[in-house]
């Protein structure tokens, strides 16, 4: 029997701070213990109105709905005095310009994915997901207890925003293809919609990646402007109708094992908020994040059944594509770390955390799941 080695990381002082921050977000027990109701606090506070621009269309109520839930809870927790109006992608700015709108003060906040902005700096990708990275649970663990949130906030300070964990879709699917890819050779020249570092890895494999907002994917796929596209998973993909123009559905989404959605808030606007409003906002982001993941986990299996009934064909990525993608991925990371100081700073800590997480998850989680999935009770 081979030995299993798990190298424990030393604890860091800042992790204690993050634990306290997370507990603060997850509970308002302190207020209740003091005998002060939320309306009583709000009565002494000013009326404030914010706007949040989303990177997502209203039709995708699960991912778009995270911002709506945030707005409702903030209003509830402040007795209606802190109002946030949510705008879908395109109403104020295009979905991929949400961060810019927060930076320049057009809106106070946005609900978006960090990896949309890797053109500014590849370090942004760690705020969402990177290929062959962390699962959704591991991403949350890294953010709240592994130093990830502090690292990303330090990085994002240069962009005049503060970040909050705002949801996760869980491991995504591997995309819709007009024609199936049967080997690595089929990837050459493939035009595929995929943002972030995942797109760069596909490029290294010979594909031609495209970055398109959610609402632009279907027409591009229908017209043949692109050969393939990835979005999220069965539930959202079904809503966007990709199966009507591309029947081949691949898995797994190796470039998004646990993609996080974030709330970015303009730093100056954040500093202006009363402390009680800041607390309400933090609590609401934590609630929205939990709800989003749970909703996807409940709806995706049912949506997949409907897609299969509609004639969709499932395909597992060929082994040569998976191996080549993983090799290209870590070559990219090492190359970027050698020339990008901010990337190296985050990547170094992220890689250590990933190592110990995989060691643990490969035992309890994988051990049980592998058995159960191979021996399903009908």
């Amino acid at each position: 029997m081979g030995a299993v080695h798990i190298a424990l990381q030393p604890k860091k002082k800042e992790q204690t701070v993050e634990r306290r921050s997370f507990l603060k977000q997850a509970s308002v027990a302190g207020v209740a213990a003091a005998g002060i109701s939320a309306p009583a606090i709000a009565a002494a506070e000013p009326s404030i109105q914010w706007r949040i621009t989303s990177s997502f269309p209203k039709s995708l109520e699960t991912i778009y709905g995270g911002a709506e839930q945030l707005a409702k809870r903030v209003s509830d927790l402040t007795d209606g005095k802190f109002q946030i109006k949510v705008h879908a992608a395109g109403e104020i700015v295009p979905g991929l310009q949400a961060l810019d709108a927060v930076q320049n003060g057009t809106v106070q906040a946005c609900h978006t994915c960090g990896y949309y902005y890797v053109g500014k700096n590849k370090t942004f990708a760690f705020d969402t997901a990177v290929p062959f990275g962390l699962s959704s649970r591991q991403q949350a663990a890294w953010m709240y207890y592994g130093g990830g949130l502090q690292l990303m906030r330090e990085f994002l300070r240069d962009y005049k925003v503060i970040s909050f964990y705002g949801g996760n879709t869980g491991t995504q699917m591997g995309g819709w293809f007009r024609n199936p890819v049967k080997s690595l050779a089929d990837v050459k020249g493939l035009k595929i919609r995929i943002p972030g570092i995942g797109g760069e890895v596909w490029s290294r494999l010979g594909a031609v990646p495209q970055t398109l907002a959610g609402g632009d994917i279907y027409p591009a796929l229908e017209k043949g402007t692109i050969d393939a596209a990835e979005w999220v998973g069965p539930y959202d993909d079904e809503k966007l109708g990709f199966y009507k123009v591309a029947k081949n559905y691949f898995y797994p989404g190796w470039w998004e094992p646990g993609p996080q959605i974030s709330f970015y808030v303009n730093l100056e606007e954040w500093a202006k908020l009363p402390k009680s409003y800041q607390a309400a906002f933090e609590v609401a982001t934590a609630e929205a994040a939990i709800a989003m993941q749970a909703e996807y986990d409940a709806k995706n299996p049912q949506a997949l059944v409907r897609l299969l009934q509609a004639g969709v064909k499932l395909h597992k990525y060929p082994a040569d594509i998976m191996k080549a993608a993983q090799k290209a991925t870590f070559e990219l990371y090492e190359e970027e770390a050698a020339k990008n100081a901010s990337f190296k700073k985050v990547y170094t800590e992220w890689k250590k955390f990933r190592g110990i997480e995989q060691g643990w998850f490969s035992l309890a989680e994988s051990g049980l799941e592998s058995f159960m999935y191979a021996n399903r009770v009908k």
Side-chain angles (χ1 to χ4, degrees):
M1 182 181 294
V4 177
H5 300 283
I6 302 179
L8 295 176
Q9 287 181 264
K11 293 184 178 179
K12 299 181 180 179
K13 185 181 296 183
E14 63 264 23
Q15 292 179 12
T16 302
V17 176
E18 290 174 22
R19 291 189 185 97
R20 292 170 181 165
S21 177
F22 178 57
L23 293 173
K24 176 183 177 184
Q25 292 180 38
S27 174
V28 289
V31 172
I36 305 173
S37 66
I41 293 176
E45 300 291 8
S47 294
I48 293 177
Q49 293 187 340
W50 271 18
R51 296 192 300 173
I52 282 184
T53 184
S54 173
S55 286
F56 316 107
K58 287 183 179 180
S59 59
L60 301 179
E61 82 283 358
T62 306
I63 196 165
Y64 174 81
E68 290 190 318
Q69 177 168 346
L70 169 87
K72 182 180 184 304
R73 290 296 291 137
V74 166
S75 177
D76 290 344
L77 292 169
T78 61
D79 199 28
K81 289 207 166 186
F82 185 4
Q83 292 291 320
I84 301 175
K85 185 174 182 180
V86 182
H87 294 269
E91 289 184 359
I92 298 178
V93 295
L96 301 182
Q97 295 177 21
L99 171 62
D100 300 309
V102 178
Q103 281 185 273
N104 62 33
T106 301
V107 295
Q108 289 83 8
C110 69
H111 195 214
T112 189
C113 293
Y115 67 10
Y116 289 157
Y117 313 104
V118 294
K120 298 176 184 290
N121 190 316
K122 287 187 176 63
T123 311
F124 271 102
F126 289 105
D127 203 50
T128 303
V130 292
F132 299 99
L134 304 175
S135 69
S136 59
R137 284 176 56 194
Q138 292 166 353
Q139 179 74 6
W142 180 60
M143 279 288 168
Y144 286 122
Y145 292 93
L149 187 61
Q150 179 176 346
L151 284 167
M152 292 312 303
R153 284 182 172 179
E154 289 175 358
F155 165 71
L156 290 166
R157 192 175 297 124
D158 289 340
Y159 296 86
K160 302 178 182 179
V161 299
I162 182 173
S163 62
F164 299 87
Y165 194 100
N168 203 300
T169 68
T171 303
Q172 296 192 359
M173 288 291 281
W176 298 87
F177 290 71
R178 291 166 64 90
N179 297 298
V181 289
K182 299 179 180 179
S183 70
L184 185 59
D186 293 335
V187 173
K188 187 174 179 59
L190 182 81
K191 292 175 290 185
I192 179 172
R193 180 274 176 192
I194 176 171
I197 289 180
E200 292 203 29
V201 175
W202 273 102
S203 179
R204 292 186 177 213
L205 299 184
V208 183
Q210 315 282 321
T211 299
L212 299 172
D216 299 328
I217 300 173
Y218 183 93
L221 199 58
E222 182 181 34
K223 294 174 184 176
T225 306
I226 56 176
D227 304 307
E230 64 80 40
W231 180 239
V232 178
Y235 186 72
D236 283 349
D237 292 4
E238 179 189 33
K239 277 183 166 291
L240 292 181
F242 300 144
Y243 67 96
K244 298 176 183 178
V245 291
K247 291 289 186 181
N248 301 289
Y249 203 18
F250 275 73
Y251 70 94
W254 44 265
W255 54 91
E256 293 185 279
Q260 169 187 333
I261 295 84
S262 296
F263 290 102
Y264 291 162
V265 177
N266 181 284
L267 271 173
E268 291 185 3
E269 295 296 333
W270 177 253
K272 294 177 185 177
L273 287 179
K275 294 298 183 183
S276 61
Y277 286 13
Q278 289 182 347
F281 189 93
E282 290 185 286
V283 168
T285 61
E287 291 181 359
I290 293 170
M292 182 185 294
Q293 174 85 69
E295 188 171 3
Y296 271 119
D297 286 345
K299 291 182 174 180
N300 274 331
Q302 301 169 42
L304 181 59
V305 171
R306 293 192 297 270
L307 289 170
L308 294 175
Q309 292 172 342
V312 168
K313 298 177 182 178
L314 284 177
H315 302 270
K316 187 176 182 178
Y317 273 116
D320 62 341
I321 292 180
M322 294 292 290
K323 291 177 181 179
Q326 181 170 255
K327 181 176 183 293
T329 292
F330 282 89
E331 288 175 349
L332 185 155
Y333 294 159
E334 296 298 329
E335 291 171 13
E336 187 67 20
K339 63 184 179 183
N340 183 337
S342 63
F343 186 96
K344 181 179 181 180
K345 181 178 181 179
V346 176
Y347 173 61
T348 299
E349 297 304 316
W350 173 90
K351 189 177 181 181
K352 292 176 185 176
F353 188 82
R354 176 182 181 273
I356 191 170
E357 286 292 292
Q358 289 194 335
W360 161 241
F361 274 75
S362 69
L363 295 177
E365 297 285 338
S366 180
L368 178 59
E369 288 179 354
S370 296
F371 173 81
M372 291 193 300
Y373 297 155
N375 300 274
R376 296 183 183 181
V377 178
K378 297 183 179 179

